Amino acid sequence: MVAAHASHSSSSSEWIACLDKRPLERSSEDVDIIFTRLKEVKAFEKFHPNLLQQICLCGYYENLEKGITLFRQGDIGTNWYAVLTGSLDVKVSDTSNHQDAVTICTLGIGTAFGESILDNTPRHATIVTREYSELLRIEQKDFKALWEAPLIEPHNPHRPTKTITQVPSEKILRAGKILRNTVLSRAPHMIRDRKYHLKTYRQCCVGTELVDWMMQQSPCVHSRTQAVGMWQVLLEEGVLNHVDQEHHFQDKYLFYRFLDDEREDAPLPTEEEKKECDEELQDTMLLLSQIGPDAHMRMLLRKPPGQRTVDDLEIIYEELLHIKALSHLSTTVKRELAGVLIFESHPKSGTVLFNQGEEGTSWYIILKGSVNVVIYGKGVVCTLHEGDDFGKLALVNDAPRAASIVLREDNCHFLRVDKEDFNRILRDVEANTVRLKEHEQDVLVLEKIPAGNRVSNQGNSQPQHKYIVMSGTPEKILEHFLETMRPEATLNEATDSVLHDFIMMHCVFMPNSQLCPALMAHYHAQPSQGTEQEKMDYALNNKRRVIRLVLQWAALYGDLLQEDEAAMAFLEEFYVSVSDDTRMIAALKEQLPELEKIVNQVSEEPKASQKKHKVLLQLFNTSDDRAQKRQPIRGSDEVLFKVYCIDQTYTTIRVPVSSSVKEVISAVADKLGSGEGLIIVKMSSGGEKVVLRPHDVSVFTTLSVNGRLFACPRDQFDSLAPLPEQEGPSTGTVGTFEMMSSKDLAHQMTIYDWELFNCVHELELIYHTFGRHNFKKTTANLDLFLRRFNEIQFWVVTEICLCSQLSKRVQLLKKYIKIAAHCKEYKNLNSFFAIIMGLSNVAVSRLSLTWEKLPSKFKKIYAEFESLMDPSRNHRAYRLTVAKLDPPIIPFMPLLIKDMTFTHEGNKTFTDNLVNFEKMRMIANTVRTVKFCRSQSFNPDAALTNKNHQDVRSYVRQLNVIDNQRTLSQMSHRLEPRRA
């Protein structure tokens, strides 16, 4: 099950406990829990379910600290491993001295190693943990049994063809037949003999007509580009062919022929076949819409670089943003790569891409499949998977290949960059890089990029190039933005996005305690050279720029500023300085009213502090929250919270939300009369215990759904046990909510989710990504929104597992699928995904008797929804769906968090002691998604809002759930025991 961050630790501990048991002691519930976790691991995502089930029965869990040697080169292997978290270095030595070993690659999450145990050959390399790592281990005897077991049926060999894939799939053959028969049934004039340049082409269709026709057949086809990708699927597999054998489907007056029409006597469809095709058409369109984007991407990448259009390059660039191997590269380099990358595919396992010792001519990135890295005399030293790259070192060092690369499976796809293009990009980047130095050290690095030939409103041509900040010291980055800012620009201009990036991200590298004095110094700066008029002009423009930056800064932070004494003092002092200057400099007067308005808003905020305690109680206890607008939680707000003791009694403390664990311990000690040796522990309903560190913040809001806080002496830690109330409900509420309309439920869920989402400040995403404790800031609003995602997932699973009657469970499945459909209609993607993930939880998905009785109409809808959850190509299906939506949108927040974490972990914050501003820009761009989703206010459906839905409203805000996966699995097995 995919869960938001807040409840991750609980689920992880549970499956580890299951793996720690001896295989013979593992129950079917244990296996289900392990299976749920391993399904998410990259190394196992393509494994047959039966094979994965066997791994769950025989695998073991291992965790190793940094610097631990797992085995040495030359050892006889006894285990196979897969990397679950962390990374390990692969070291090879040409001598018997292990100290001479050279690191040849790093194994990351999802990689597997140790296949040498199949033939008892010595280990080909030494494996050392690069950081704290978690591994799945399988012993030799079990691995051999798995390897030899016929769990997966072999593919049937197909006839060789001249098509791109050479292995046409039965699904696509059927799809082609359905589309041809439907065209003949509904628009027979489209397939006919056509003449062009005195030549006759038999039984052909025209590309533009095929695109027009497809767009009319299904609501899932939204654009001509999408339709082109769907026809490209058929073209790649030879089910549709261009009359001159071109491999790119084009939305032009070009002729294409269905495979069945290649024959002289191609039969027309019978009435029976027409009826069948009508019934299957929508499923076929859905299938092609899912795989069309990948086919379209392959088509673009097969085009010679010189033939790629601007739109083609933009689509390729968007794809590159989500490839792990490229995450550390600058935007400019990715855009350059979009123009030169070449698609390369190989159909057969065992194909050698290149041999050790050969000259390096290309750099490869794996799009699909996996390869083995082989070194002479050592065999396979590691395996690389989707998103990994290889071959770059030989290009950088101009050295021979250090290893051979062999395809590990059939039908592997790669992106290739040839040496000449690779070196040109490196040269271009360096040639377009400007370095500002002080005392022989870089202090600011700029990159020249095309600005586009735009024309201003006055008709003047704009500069063709601009300089963007790549890295620099905080002071120099600020100075650069102030110098290049146009003082007369308005706050609404798109050019402010770069400035917005700085204001959004400065807390990472230049906190307010540094920024505020620097801004004040820049405001009062005076030039030392020039005429008196030039000095006056410089001072005026400089002041206007600083005022403009301060206005944007204050607008972004809003009432968060009142929690920062230094910022408040600066704002008041700055206002006085500007106010004084307006007496002498009339041109500053136009900015003064806006500055005055912001200062008044922020300074008035503390006057309402006496109301905060009441508001916060309502935020934590939604049953009293009837008509008042939900207010964001701030760090200074106080909360009443229960902290439990080892005897399961509790004490209620009253502390600010932003309190650290150290402050919570102090508050508990005051109540208990003694706090010596106390620790604070997060306890999940499954018994997972986490000792919180003294500097941890957001203590109250990062608990799991049924989590509780405990305080106890350290020596009593092992005796702590969950409270009975953490177990959750023992009876379901189906009797209550089956009477509520699915649309009303989805509507009220969306209203509540929007309230939660709208309270999340953009800066909370930054604090969450870089670590709350580094800023000493709370992320309470974001935490509660993430917890809501988990709560809805568990609500779905809980209600189904508490329903003992089969017919009622089938009705529940239908109900949840309908609620999900309405959430999608309301653009509430957070709840939509939570419901679908709840239905895909192993405790629900294994209820085969229940799913068998679900009407086929609902099975199709669920299959369509499940396809949007497909994690492949970094959730491409979801991203394409969101790209077509207009705000307001409630996004799938766990994926946004994942994107930011991906960027954060893949790029250093500082490079050569300079701020990596390219990283700041990428993270700020993801945060802008939140801003876009909320750029239009959410207006509830008036027809539904006017009804009296207090019962529905109260129900969706007080969901009572079981969040213990083991308990849910046990309940599921009692409902439908495992079939023999």
Side-chain angles (χ1 to χ4, degrees):
M1 186 181 81
V2 175
H5 184 76
S7 68
H8 179 71
S9 59
S10 170
S11 58
S12 63
S13 161
E14 191 166 21
W15 80 275
I16 290 168
C18 297
L19 273 176
D20 279 341
K21 292 182 181 179
R22 283 187 238 169
L24 292 176
E25 295 173 354
R26 292 175 195 170
S27 65
S28 53
E29 291 89 354
D30 293 334
V31 172
D32 281 345
I33 289 167
I34 300 168
F35 185 87
T36 301
R37 173 68 176 88
L38 292 190
K39 268 201 313 184
E40 301 169 13
V41 176
K42 186 177 176 182
F44 304 120
E45 62 186 9
K46 294 178 182 171
F47 279 33
H48 192 282
N50 292 350
L51 178 57
L52 195 52
Q53 199 87 18
Q54 294 300 314
I55 289 173
C56 294
L57 286 167
C58 64
Y60 293 90
Y61 169 83
E62 282 200 14
N63 61 335
L64 303 170
E65 296 297 329
K66 178 182 177 181
I68 300 296
T69 299
L70 194 62
F71 53 73
R72 293 193 182 279
Q73 184 177 344
D75 292 351
I76 299 297
T78 55
N79 295 285
W80 175 86
Y81 298 90
V83 185
L84 303 176
T85 66
S87 57
L88 303 94
D89 285 333
V90 179
K91 302 188 173 208
V92 174
S93 172
D94 291 330
T95 69
S96 57
N97 187 349
H98 295 298
Q99 292 180 341
D100 296 337
V102 176
T103 301
I104 60 167
C105 65
T106 299
L107 305 175
I109 296 170
T111 50
F113 57 95
E115 290 92 339
S116 64
I117 59 174
L118 286 170
D119 49 14
N120 287 319
T121 54
R123 297 293 197 189
H124 306 302
T126 297
I127 305 290
V128 182
T129 53
R130 188 185 180 92
E131 58 188 305
Y132 173 81
S133 302
E134 295 178 292
L135 310 174
L136 181 84
R137 174 174 63 84
I138 296 179
E139 294 180 347
Q140 185 178 33
K141 59 179 175 46
D142 294 321
F143 187 74
K144 281 187 172 181
L146 292 174
W147 188 269
E148 294 161 5
L151 289 170
I152 306 173
E153 293 182 13
H155 290 293
N156 292 325
H158 293 275
R159 60 180 176 81
T161 70
K162 293 181 182 178
T163 61
I164 293 172
T165 61
Q166 300 188 357
V167 185
S169 114
E170 292 299 325
K171 266 188 183 177
I172 304 305
L173 284 170
R174 179 63 184 162
K177 185 176 284 292
I178 288 166
L179 292 180
R180 173 185 177 268
N181 289 348
T182 307
V183 168
L184 287 170
S185 172
R186 299 182 182 181
H189 63 279
M190 285 175 57
I191 302 178
R192 66 177 190 271
D193 292 352
R194 298 175 188 268
K195 287 188 176 180
Y196 188 71
H197 284 190
L198 303 179
K199 184 175 179 180
T200 301
Y201 295 89
R202 291 187 54 261
Q203 296 298 95
C204 294
C205 309
V206 173
T208 50
E209 291 180 4
L210 286 174
V211 171
D212 289 337
W213 180 85
M214 184 163 275
M215 291 191 68
Q216 294 164 7
Q217 304 309 308
S218 172
C220 71
V221 186
H222 304 282
S223 67
R224 301 188 73 83
T225 301
Q226 185 185 3
V228 167
M230 293 163 73
W231 286 118
Q232 180 66 26
V233 173
L234 303 183
L235 193 71
E236 280 190 347
E237 303 226 11
V239 178
L240 182 77
N241 295 299
H242 183 268
V243 292
D244 290 332
Q245 303 304 311
E246 287 187 13
H247 289 319
H248 301 159
F249 183 90
Q250 296 186 65
D251 186 8
K252 294 182 178 178
Y253 191 80
L254 298 175
F255 298 155
Y256 297 91
R257 186 183 295 122
F258 283 101
L259 183 62
D260 285 352
D261 290 318
E262 298 282 357
R263 293 161 36 199
E264 291 279 349
D265 55 346
L268 294 172
T270 64
E271 289 303 315
E272 179 87 16
E273 286 176 325
K274 286 181 182 178
K275 186 179 176 185
E276 278 181 11
C277 291
D278 274 349
E279 290 173 357
E280 292 182 48
L281 179 63
Q282 291 310 314
D283 286 347
T284 299
M285 299 293 274
L286 179 62
L287 169 70
L288 293 176
S289 71
Q290 290 164 3
I291 56 183
D294 282 347
H296 188 246
M297 177 61 62
R298 290 191 292 271
M299 180 185 83
L300 299 182
L301 289 167
R302 284 193 182 97
K303 283 186 181 182
Q307 294 179 16
R308 293 175 191 172
T309 66
V310 173
D311 288 341
D312 293 344
L313 294 175
E314 192 61 30
I315 292 170
I316 297 170
Y317 167 72
E318 289 290 337
E319 178 77 9
L320 301 187
L321 291 177
H322 306 299
I323 293 178
K324 182 176 70 177
L326 307 179
S327 65
H328 66 287
L329 297 178
S330 72
T331 299
T332 305
V333 172
K334 290 192 189 100
R335 288 197 177 278
E336 288 277 341
L337 286 173
V340 300
L341 281 166
I342 296 165
F343 179 82
E344 186 174 312
S345 64
H346 296 277
K348 292 297 178 188
S349 172
T351 302
V352 178
L353 272 186
F354 54 73
N355 284 302
Q356 183 177 344
E358 291 179 352
E359 180 191 354
T361 57
S362 300
W363 169 37
Y364 292 86
I365 299 148
I366 305 174
L367 266 187
K368 176 185 172 187
S370 58
V371 299
N372 285 329
V373 180
V374 181
I375 294 180
Y376 293 147
K378 304 180 189 303
V380 177
V381 293
C382 66
T383 300
L384 303 175
H385 298 268
E386 182 182 312
D388 293 330
D389 67 315
F390 56 89
K392 188 163 58 175
L393 205 60
L395 302 191
V396 172
N397 298 334
D398 204 20
R401 298 294 194 187
S404 300
I405 299 292
V406 183
L407 264 62
R408 188 169 176 261
E409 54 190 284
D410 289 346
N411 201 21
C412 290
H413 296 173
F414 304 92
L415 294 177
R416 191 186 82 228
V417 184
D418 291 335
K419 185 174 184 177
E420 186 179 332
D421 293 318
F422 180 83
N423 289 334
R424 179 185 59 76
I425 289 172
L426 290 183
R427 285 196 306 270
D428 286 353
V429 168
E430 193 53 43
N432 288 313
T433 300
V434 177
R435 300 176 186 274
L436 178 65
K437 293 179 181 287
E438 288 183 0
H439 308 296
E440 300 301 315
Q441 297 291 318
D442 287 345
V443 291
L444 187 67
V445 180
L446 305 173
E447 189 171 58
K448 185 171 77 171
I449 63 169
N453 292 322
R454 295 170 297 168
V455 176
S456 70
N457 294 335
Q458 288 77 28
N460 301 322
S461 180
Q462 299 292 304
Q464 293 187 339
H465 291 89
K466 62 181 179 180
Y467 288 88
I468 60 169
V469 177
M470 301 304 293
S471 60
T473 63
E475 296 78 11
K476 284 297 173 185
I477 292 174
L478 172 62
E479 186 179 308
H480 172 78
F481 285 132
L482 287 171
E483 286 177 354
T484 55
M485 187 191 302
R486 284 162 48 203
E488 73 281 0
T490 65
L491 287 178
N492 296 321
E493 286 198 2
T495 51
D496 276 354
S497 65
V498 176
L499 190 59
H500 180 272
D501 294 347
F502 173 82
I503 293 168
M504 171 67 65
M505 301 302 302
H506 79 82
C507 58
V508 175
F509 55 88
M510 193 179 194
N512 284 337
S513 58
Q514 294 176 28
L515 177 68
C516 294
L519 286 172
M520 190 60 85
H522 278 289
Y523 181 79
H524 290 298
Q526 294 292 332
S528 57
Q529 297 177 340
T531 65
E532 284 305 313
Q533 186 59 46
E534 285 172 343
K535 287 180 180 180
M536 286 174 61
D537 290 344
Y538 173 88
L540 171 62
N541 286 332
N542 185 56
K543 289 178 188 294
R544 291 175 68 184
R545 290 188 184 106
V546 176
I547 293 170
R548 183 171 158 232
L549 191 149
V550 169
L551 287 171
Q552 275 201 273
W553 169 77
L556 174 71
Y557 272 78
D559 59 359
L560 289 185
L561 286 175
Q562 54 131 344
E563 297 179 6
D564 188 328
E565 290 181 10
M568 287 290 290
F570 158 74
L571 204 52
E572 290 172 8
E573 182 187 348
F574 185 74
Y575 172 68
V576 170
S577 294
V578 175
S579 185
D580 289 345
D581 284 346
T582 55
R583 297 190 186 99
M584 300 291 293
I585 310 172
L588 294 180
K589 285 184 178 178
E590 64 185 62
Q591 291 173 300
L592 188 62
E594 194 169 357
L595 183 61
E596 183 178 14
K597 181 182 174 183
I598 283 182
V599 170
N600 288 338
Q601 281 176 347
V602 174
S603 59
E604 282 174 11
E605 198 69 35
K607 296 174 186 175
S609 60
Q610 62 271 21
K611 300 177 185 176
K612 287 187 174 294
H613 179 56
K614 180 180 177 183
V615 171
L616 193 55
L617 284 180
Q618 290 175 346
L619 291 168
F620 277 81
N621 182 10
T622 52
S623 59
D624 297 331
D625 184 347
R626 303 207 171 216
Q628 292 160 326
K629 183 182 176 184
R630 187 182 188 89
Q631 297 297 318
I633 301 171
R634 296 294 173 232
S636 56
D637 295 343
E638 290 188 328
V639 58
L640 286 173
F641 210 84
K642 293 177 181 177
V643 179
Y644 293 84
C645 302
I646 193 162
D647 59 0
Q648 302 199 339
T649 60
Y650 66 84
T651 181
T652 303
I653 60 172
R654 177 173 175 167
V655 290
V657 174
S658 60
S659 297
S660 66
V661 169
K662 187 176 180 182
E663 290 163 334
V664 171
I665 290 174
S666 177
V668 171
D670 286 346
K671 283 292 189 83
L672 297 180
S674 171
E676 192 174 338
L678 276 184
I679 56 172
I680 298 294
V681 180
K682 277 202 294 194
M683 171 80 75
S684 76
S685 59
E688 160 77 359
K689 294 176 283 193
V690 177
V691 178
L692 299 179
R693 295 167 296 184
H695 63 271
D696 284 342
V697 291
S698 285
V699 181
F700 311 108
T701 50
T702 53
L703 292 170
S704 57
V705 178
N706 289 340
R708 297 291 185 270
L709 275 187
F710 282 75
C712 71
R714 189 171 289 277
D715 59 3
Q716 294 181 3
F717 172 77
D718 292 335
S719 303
L720 288 178
L723 304 169
E725 69 184 54
Q726 289 184 254
E727 293 175 8
S730 55
T731 56
T733 61
V734 62
T736 303
F737 90 96
E738 71 178 346
M739 306 302 294
M740 301 172 181
S741 123
S742 301
K743 190 165 189 175
D744 290 346
L745 283 162
H747 184 245
Q748 289 298 331
M749 287 169 71
T750 302
I751 290 173
Y752 185 43
D753 290 356
W754 179 262
E755 289 177 14
L756 291 170
F757 175 50
N758 208 34
C759 285
V760 177
H761 198 286
E762 292 164 33
L763 285 167
E764 291 186 60
L765 293 158
I766 309 296
Y767 301 151
H768 184 283
T769 302
F770 287 86
R772 310 169 187 85
H773 60 277
N774 291 321
F775 305 92
K776 296 183 172 57
K777 300 288 186 183
T778 183
T779 55
N781 302 289
L782 176 60
D783 299 334
L784 292 179
F785 187 47
L786 290 171
R787 190 160 75 182
R788 175 65 173 174
F789 181 87
N790 293 337
E791 185 178 62
I792 292 173
Q793 278 192 84
F794 285 122
W795 169 56
V796 173
V797 186
T798 299
E799 292 297 338
I800 291 172
C801 288
L802 283 173
C803 185
S804 57
Q805 196 177 334
L806 177 60
S807 60
K808 288 275 189 187
R809 283 202 302 279
V810 176
Q811 291 304 312
L812 268 176
L813 287 184
K814 288 168 64 177
K815 185 89 170 178
Y816 281 124
I817 290 168
K818 285 195 278 189
I819 294 171
H822 288 303
C823 284
K824 183 169 176 278
E825 178 189 337
Y826 289 128
K827 295 183 278 194
N828 181 357
L829 302 179
N830 205 58
S831 282
F832 168 76
F833 272 85
I835 292 169
I836 299 305
M837 288 182 178
L839 291 173
S840 67
N841 182 290
V842 68
V844 176
S845 63
R846 64 165 298 281
L847 298 172
S848 52
L849 293 176
T850 309
W851 286 96
E852 282 167 9
K853 293 193 176 296
L854 186 69
S856 59
K857 171 188 169 184
F858 284 90
K859 286 179 182 172
K860 285 181 182 178
I861 296 170
Y862 177 66
E864 180 185 341
F865 290 170
E866 239 191 347
S867 71
L868 292 177
M869 278 174 41
D870 181 7
S872 64
R873 306 294 281 277
N874 199 23
H875 295 269
R876 174 200 272 273
Y878 165 78
R879 296 181 195 281
L880 287 172
T881 301
V882 175
K884 296 163 192 161
L885 300 179
D886 294 320
I889 304 165
I890 304 177
F892 176 29
M893 188 56 82
L895 184 58
L896 270 177
I897 297 292
K898 178 188 170 189
D899 285 347
M900 293 180 69
T901 305
F902 175 82
T903 304
H904 174 49
E905 294 180 350
N907 298 271
K908 293 179 180 177
T909 302
F910 294 92
T911 54
D912 301 324
N913 295 319
L914 301 178
V915 177
N916 179 1
F917 199 75
E918 177 73 5
K919 171 179 176 173
M920 303 300 129
R921 195 160 31 240
M922 288 190 283
I923 289 180
N925 193 47
T926 305
V927 177
R928 256 196 292 276
T929 304
V930 172
K931 189 175 182 181
F932 169 76
C933 290
R934 298 193 296 213
S935 58
Q936 297 290 330
S937 59
F938 173 71
N939 296 311
D941 188 325
L944 294 176
T945 307
N946 291 336
K947 296 180 184 177
N948 182 15
H949 286 313
Q950 188 58 44
D951 55 339
V952 182
R953 186 178 190 278
S954 298
Y955 179 81
V956 301
R957 290 167 185 251
Q958 299 174 70
L959 301 177
N960 198 7
V961 306
I962 299 168
D963 69 347
N964 184 339
Q965 185 64 45
R966 173 179 288 282
T967 301
L968 293 167
S969 290
Q970 290 170 344
M971 292 162 63
S972 172
H973 280 273
R974 283 197 293 271
L975 290 174
E976 294 184 23
R978 190 185 295 278
R979 295 180 184 181

